[in-house]
Amino acid sequence: LARYAVIGNPIAHSRSPQIHAMFAEQTGKPLRYDRLLAPVDGFADAVAAFVAEGGLGLNVTVPFKLDAYALAAGRLSSRARLAGAVNTLSWRDGAWHGCNTDGVGLVSDLLRLGLRLAGASVLLVGAGGAARGVLQPLAEAGCARIHIVNRTASKAEELAASWRDSGVSPQTPVTGGSLADAALAGGWNLVINATASGLQNAAPDLPPGLYAPGAAAYDMMYGAQPTAFMQQAQADGAALAADGLGMLVGQAAESFYIWHGVRPDPAPVLAALREALK
Ligand code: ATR
């Protein structure tokens, strides 16, 4: 059986094996997909052992996306290079090739929700790896502008500047500032939470008055209950608030496509995961 796995630390909570098993069943592709727990300083060894056992592809999660980027240096997709991180490794011609499907997963989920990205003013909250990873697909989806805000404003400004230096999608201006700045220009059509604040069950400290009529809020985190960010958004008048379960399924679908050349249908898988969260 063709072998795949998700590698991380911790990894026990990962839903990727379930998702890929459902995609495999749907598309009739026989495969085995495991969880790999690697020591924090043992990524390269764990990956080498996986190849020795016949491994063909890896999804990479916290804290190894930068290690995976280094491992695939010279064999990175443009998505991976722009994201500065790799979440999908493919073993081809005796080497690992790196891609990043997180941003594509987000955009596909936003479209599934019926959001119009073309011409949208987007407020991106957070300036870490999760935020950086979605800039290219958002810009390429035709957003009118993207403003990045962060608790540490300098990081948002640096991320915006480094994005502008990349020269990609110059038709979408990308700027950076502080969380409080977000108020200076209300009227956002889409506010995306890419911070880790949800891990403490908290929402980022955003000012009120952000949402344009009909605007949406999207949290990259997910849970059984609406997240703190979703609750904040609804209280602030967002017309729609969604969590990131669909992004998780979307990034998995894109990885599946890279590995197997077939596009699975994310809808039934998302429905099954949502049911299992209850
Ligand atoms: P990731 O790769 O998941 O993006 P990261 O690089 O550690 O992780 O970035 C975490 C992001 O969440 C940062 O933007 C961080 O803000 P700072 O740069 O100011 O640290 C943000 N973050 C974490 N906890 C937060 C909180 N309670 N409120 C607001 N932002 C928070």
Side-chain angles (χ1 to χ4, degrees), residues 62 125-132 149-153 155 179 193-198 200 202-205 221:
V62 177
V125 188
R132 180 171 170 177
V149 291
N150 194 44
R151 184 174 59 182
T152 312
K155 277 180 63 185
L179 287 181
N193 182 28
T195 76
S197 66
Q200 299 111 44
D205 199 7
M221 302 245 165

Side-chain angles (χ1 to χ4, degrees), residues 28-248:
K29 293 268 172 193
L31 59 89
R32 172 174 163 192
Y33 190 112
D34 299 308
R35 290 185 183 86
L36 279 187
L37 175 69
V40 171
D41 59 356
F43 177 75
D45 288 347
V47 170
F50 183 65
V51 170
E53 292 164 11
L56 293 177
L58 284 167
N59 280 130
V60 182
T61 187
V62 177
F64 297 129
K65 291 185 186 185
L66 296 179
D67 297 87
Y69 185 88
L71 185 71
R75 296 173 305 276
L76 296 164
S77 69
S78 62
R79 281 177 193 169
R81 255 181 282 123
L82 287 166
V86 161
N87 81 332
T88 305
L89 286 168
S90 308
W91 182 255
R92 285 199 310 270
D93 309 323
W96 285 110
H97 296 250
C99 192
N100 193 309
T101 66
D102 288 327
V104 177
L106 170 68
V107 166
S108 68
D109 200 42
L110 294 171
L111 297 175
R112 175 189 68 86
L113 291 164
L115 304 185
R116 229 179 81 88
L117 294 177
S121 292
V122 177
L123 183 66
L124 181 59
V125 188
R132 180 171 170 177
V134 300
L135 284 172
Q136 180 196 14
L138 284 174
E140 288 181 351
C143 294
R145 62 174 175 145
I146 302 172
H147 186 55
I148 307 166
V149 291
N150 194 44
R151 184 174 59 182
T152 312
S154 59
K155 277 180 63 185
E157 283 154 13
E158 283 159 23
L159 178 58
S162 92
W163 174 259
R164 289 192 298 267
D165 288 346
S166 77
V168 174
S169 300
Q171 77 285 356
T172 303
V174 176
T175 50
S178 76
L179 287 181
D181 268 0
L184 299 178
W188 301 106
N189 303 113
L190 172 62
V191 182
I192 299 171
N193 182 28
T195 76
S197 66
L199 296 177
Q200 299 111 44
N201 258 326
D205 199 7
L206 287 163
L210 296 179
Y211 292 87
Y218 193 96
D219 197 340
M220 290 197 196
M221 302 245 165
Y222 63 85
Q225 308 298 327
T227 65
F229 170 76
M230 288 165 67
Q231 293 175 36
Q232 179 191 59
Q234 272 158 343
D236 194 30
L240 182 154
D243 76 6
L245 195 63
M247 176 177 174
L248 176 74

